[in-house]
Amino acid sequence: MQLKPIFLSLLFLLLSFQSATAQTYEKKIDSLILTGFGNTNEPGGAFLATKKGKVIYRKAFGKANLELDVNMTPDNVFQIGSMTKQFTAVAILMLEQQGKLNVNDPVSKYIKDYPSGDKITIHHLLTHTSGIKDFTKMKALSGIAQKEMKPEMMVDFFKNEPVDFAPGEKFEYNNSGYVVLGYIIELVSGQTYEDFIKKNIFEKAGMSHSYYATDRLLIPKRAYGYHQKEYGFVNKTVISFSVPFSSGSLMSTVDDMLKWQQALNQNMLLNTAETKKAFQKYKLNNGEEFTYGYGWHLKDINGTPDREHGGSVFGFKSMGVYIPSEDIYVIGFSNCDCHSPTEITRNIAKIVLQSGKK
């Protein structure tokens, strides 16, 4: 009869330990985030950390809207910038899985008049090894930044620029390549990029708070974007989202991004073979390996391989880190391009990784 009190004591100790562990996580991560997001009266951010699908940290800091004095919550919707590239890459692989294209196809198969399109492949676009001119580095960009651009117009904007290098010669991060990919998605699927992503990814993964960005439509719980000037904060510069298009125009929440990661893990969108293509390293023409798959940087945290990508668009910055071996996912969003969540997000991943190895 004495077993029951002993069992209850052990159970109490276990629960106390788990509670203490959670509190330790929280304190460590809080102090880390507060180094960059410590002012409650400034634009802020939202952070989420999970391990094996279980949420171990979920908090927001600062203001979602300065003019209305609205506090940030973890439910707020942010522009995710270049994290959009993950969705574009997966959309291409979904079309390959359906037999509608092949990543080794030349661009000229879909865009007949693309200069040297017979030498540039979809693979080159996905891996930033195409050598085509990045439109964000073109001086003429300011002339179209606020215009409504059709995908074909965006491609025409940069396609005749001199190339930076021959396809496959080097890795150089490139937004233009992902705009071309978005145009190919439209040509092959017969849908707009926005509709394709919504129907084939957002709806399938249950991402009900993710959108193709818009300044016109009402987005529930939208976080407003800001820049910081010497005299204080200002509202973000207005751009037409048709310009970054499939290289950087999506919006999401930290919870929806977790659903995205889980959909990838569970092969909800891609089979195993196509998923592998996204997360493997590739080689340049000279045989040198580089650390980018299709839409993700493939790096490591303290020697443990990870998949990561950030984003930056007027008024917003984002960062996501996934450690496959431990099933750790950390996502960080900021609604001021003056506050970067990049290193903070990586350091949160380090804390979670180290705690699991003790």
Side-chain angles (χ1 to χ4, degrees), residues 41-45 61-72 76-79 222-229 232-238 312-317 334-340:
N41 295 314
E42 291 184 357
F61 299 80
K63 300 288 182 187
N65 187 305
L66 295 180
E67 290 160 307
L68 300 177
D69 195 29
V70 175
N71 290 333
M72 189 74 76
N76 282 115
V77 177
F78 293 75
Q79 288 176 41
R222 179 203 296 269
Y224 283 75
Y226 299 94
H227 305 298
Q228 187 171 25
K229 303 288 186 186
F233 293 98
V234 297
N235 287 311
K236 72 177 178 71
T237 302
V238 174
S312 183
V313 64
F314 288 139
F316 295 89
K317 283 186 182 287
S334 165
N335 67 326
C336 179
D337 47 24
C338 58
H339 295 150
S340 172

Side-chain angles (χ1 to χ4, degrees), residues 23-311:
Q23 286 172 356
T24 307
Y25 263 135
E26 193 172 356
K27 281 182 183 174
K28 277 186 180 176
I29 296 172
D30 275 351
S31 61
L32 183 63
I33 295 170
L34 289 171
T35 59
F37 293 81
N39 193 323
T40 55
N41 295 314
E42 291 184 357
F47 292 85
L48 176 78
T50 68
K51 185 170 184 180
K52 300 194 189 305
K54 185 183 176 186
V55 175
I56 54 179
Y57 187 91
R58 182 179 181 272
K59 271 193 184 180
F61 299 80
K63 300 288 182 187
N65 187 305
L66 295 180
E67 290 160 307
L68 300 177
D69 195 29
V70 175
N71 290 333
M72 189 74 76
T73 77
D75 296 322
N76 282 115
V77 177
F78 293 75
Q79 288 176 41
I80 65 171
S82 282
M83 288 189 78
T84 297
K85 292 180 174 71
Q86 300 174 9
F87 296 87
T88 302
V90 167
I92 287 284
L93 291 172
M94 290 173 92
L95 289 168
E96 181 174 67
Q97 188 170 291
Q98 293 166 20
K100 293 179 179 175
L101 57 75
N102 187 293
V103 293
N104 295 312
D105 286 341
V107 170
S108 58
K109 183 174 178 179
Y110 306 97
I111 308 170
K112 302 282 186 253
D113 63 343
Y114 202 95
S116 300
D118 57 330
K119 298 181 182 69
I120 302 166
T121 64
I122 290 174
H123 169 82
H124 289 134
L125 301 175
L126 286 163
T127 54
H128 302 285
T129 57
S130 69
I132 63 177
K133 181 67 68 181
D134 188 338
F135 74 87
T136 63
K137 295 174 182 172
M138 291 169 58
K139 287 180 181 175
L141 179 61
S142 58
I144 64 159
Q146 289 164 343
K147 289 182 181 174
E148 192 59 34
M149 302 285 285
K150 289 178 180 172
E152 187 177 3
M153 293 165 67
M154 270 309 299
V155 171
D156 286 345
F157 175 68
F158 57 73
K159 76 178 185 186
N160 293 310
E161 291 291 311
V163 296
D164 291 330
F165 52 87
E169 285 295 307
K170 61 191 273 196
F171 167 86
E172 193 168 288
Y173 191 82
N174 186 307
N175 291 285
S176 294
Y178 272 76
V179 166
V180 177
L181 289 170
Y183 185 34
I184 290 173
I185 289 166
E186 294 202 349
L187 293 171
V188 171
S189 70
Q191 296 174 274
T192 64
Y193 174 81
E194 178 177 355
D195 282 347
F196 187 91
I197 298 296
K198 185 183 176 191
K199 288 170 184 164
N200 294 281
I201 298 181
F202 291 164
E203 288 179 5
K204 279 187 183 175
M207 299 171 68
S208 53
H209 304 291
S210 298
Y211 313 87
Y212 187 88
T214 169
D215 280 331
R216 296 280 294 167
L217 298 180
L218 300 180
I219 303 285
K221 299 183 181 176
R222 179 203 296 269
Y224 283 75
Y226 299 94
H227 305 298
Q228 187 171 25
K229 303 288 186 186
E230 287 176 17
Y231 51 84
F233 293 98
V234 297
N235 287 311
K236 72 177 178 71
T237 302
V238 174
I239 58 161
S240 167
F241 295 110
S242 63
V243 173
F245 183 45
S246 46
S247 75
S249 283
L250 297 182
M251 305 175 79
S252 194
T253 64
V254 291
D255 294 331
D256 267 13
M257 289 301 288
L258 174 60
K259 288 179 181 177
W260 163 239
Q261 183 58 52
Q262 290 172 333
L264 294 168
N265 291 352
Q266 294 159 11
N267 295 118
M268 194 185 292
L269 307 169
L270 294 173
N271 61 31
T272 308
E274 293 293 339
T275 302
K276 188 182 174 186
K277 288 186 181 184
F279 302 127
Q280 71 182 66
K281 293 176 184 175
Y282 293 97
K283 291 179 179 177
L284 299 172
N285 297 343
N286 64 4
E288 182 187 333
E289 190 177 71
F290 56 96
T291 57
Y292 200 92
Y294 291 170
W296 277 265
H297 292 279
L298 305 173
K299 298 187 178 179
D300 69 88
I301 288 184
N302 292 350
T304 303
D306 78 337
R307 305 165 186 167
E308 58 183 70
H309 214 289

